[in-house]
């Protein structure tokens, strides 16, 4: 049986498959100010406990697991309102242009559904920089996208095959930029020796 896929790997894979490979296959990780801020935020959020706020029951930092999808990871926050469960992922910045944070919420929902038998129709990403929650509607399209990513990550982890590094806007601020050097392939292909 393969090792379980960390839920956070879906976020990384949706952002950049090459980054995901470096982190979860090669075991590479480099801190920068973005990752340090994120770590600090999660250390505050991951204080195990539960409480009741009016009609909302909250539980923090519980482990989630799915045998069906081979996932494992720690939740930031799960809320229950009127017998409905909502996974809430905390992020340090603000909503970006990509859906990688949504993939992490969907992965948590898949685990919660298996663990509780309840259908999860939405979750949230809380962005610390703006102090706002972004609702994530867990549509069949988003589920299918997450399940496809799980399959691709599983194959990547099983084979160890490294996805290509592709340079783009996502590279800005990436803590693994200097390990990846995504422009190198293009520069090497343009290089011609003098005659």
């Amino acid at each position: 049986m393969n090792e379980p896929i960390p839920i956070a790997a879906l976020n990384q894979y949706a952002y950049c498959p090459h980054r995901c490979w470096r982190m979860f296959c090669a075991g590479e990780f480099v801190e920068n100010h973005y990752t340090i801020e994120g770590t600090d935020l999660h250390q505050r959020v991951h204080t195990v406990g539960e409480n009741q706020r009016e009609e909302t029951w909250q539980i923090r930092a519980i482990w989630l697991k799915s045998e069906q999808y081979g996932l494992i990871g720690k939740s930031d926050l799960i809320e229950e309102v009127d017998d409905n469960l909502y996974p809430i992922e905390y992020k340090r910045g603000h909503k970006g242009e990509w859906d990688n944070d949504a993939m992490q919420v969907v992965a948590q929902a898949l685990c919660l559904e298996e663990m509780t038998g309840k259908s999860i129709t939405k979750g949230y990403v809380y962005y610390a920089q703006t102090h706002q929650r972004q609702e994530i509607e867990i549509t069949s399209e988003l589920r299918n996208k997450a399940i496809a990513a799980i399959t691709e990550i599983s194959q990547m982890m099983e084979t160890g095959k490294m996805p290509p590094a592709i340079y783009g806007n996502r590279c800005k601020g990436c803590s693994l930029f200097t390990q990846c050097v995504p422009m190198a392939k293009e520069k090497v292909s343009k290089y011609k020796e003098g005659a």
Side-chain angles (χ1 to χ4, degrees):
M1 182 177 161
N2 294 339
E3 288 291 313
I5 296 168
I7 289 172
L10 271 83
N11 188 315
Q12 299 300 332
Y13 190 82
Y15 189 77
C16 173
H18 185 80
R19 177 179 169 83
C20 184
W21 178 87
R22 285 194 174 274
M23 291 176 71
F24 296 99
C25 293
E28 295 178 19
F29 187 75
V30 176
E31 293 279 11
N32 67 12
H33 71 280
Y34 299 121
T35 62
I36 291 169
E37 286 177 10
T39 300
D40 288 346
L41 173 66
H42 280 93
Q43 284 176 345
R44 290 192 305 271
V45 172
H46 283 178
T47 302
V48 177
E50 61 180 284
N51 65 312
Q52 186 81 26
R53 292 179 134 188
E54 298 176 12
E55 301 299 315
T56 304
W57 175 73
Q58 297 180 321
I59 186 165
R60 296 183 182 278
I62 62 166
W63 283 95
L64 302 175
K65 185 175 184 181
S66 168
E67 295 289 340
Q68 180 181 354
Y69 296 108
L71 295 171
I72 193 164
K74 190 182 280 190
S75 69
D76 288 340
L77 176 66
I78 306 297
E79 288 187 343
E80 183 178 35
V81 182
D82 297 329
D83 206 35
N84 294 306
L85 295 173
Y86 304 106
I88 300 160
E89 178 63 24
Y90 279 63
K91 296 296 177 188
R92 58 154 288 283
H94 55 82
K95 180 167 173 27
E97 302 170 43
W98 303 285
D99 65 356
N100 52 304
D101 294 338
M103 288 292 105
Q104 195 166 350
V105 171
V106 174
Q108 292 177 23
L110 293 172
C111 292
L112 277 171
E113 287 178 335
E114 186 173 321
M115 292 170 70
T116 66
K118 295 181 176 187
S119 177
I120 312 293
T121 59
K122 68 179 174 180
Y124 298 90
V125 180
Y126 173 80
Y127 292 101
Q129 192 172 35
T130 59
H131 304 288
Q132 292 184 339
R133 283 186 180 186
Q134 175 74 36
E135 182 177 311
I136 307 297
E137 185 183 351
I138 303 174
T139 63
S140 57
E141 179 184 351
L142 203 53
R143 281 175 190 276
N144 291 338
K145 194 171 181 179
I147 292 166
I150 292 166
T151 301
E152 292 165 12
I153 294 166
S154 179
Q155 290 170 353
M156 180 184 71
M157 292 174 84
E158 188 176 316
T159 64
K161 185 176 177 189
M162 179 178 67
I166 299 170
Y167 182 68
N169 287 339
R170 297 175 191 219
C171 298
K172 295 175 185 172
C174 178
S175 65
L176 293 174
F177 182 80
T178 56
Q179 282 70 23
C180 173
V181 194
M183 301 91 55
K185 182 179 176 185
E186 185 178 329
K187 286 182 179 181
V188 169
S189 69
K190 290 180 180 178
Y191 176 77
K192 295 180 183 177
E193 288 190 33

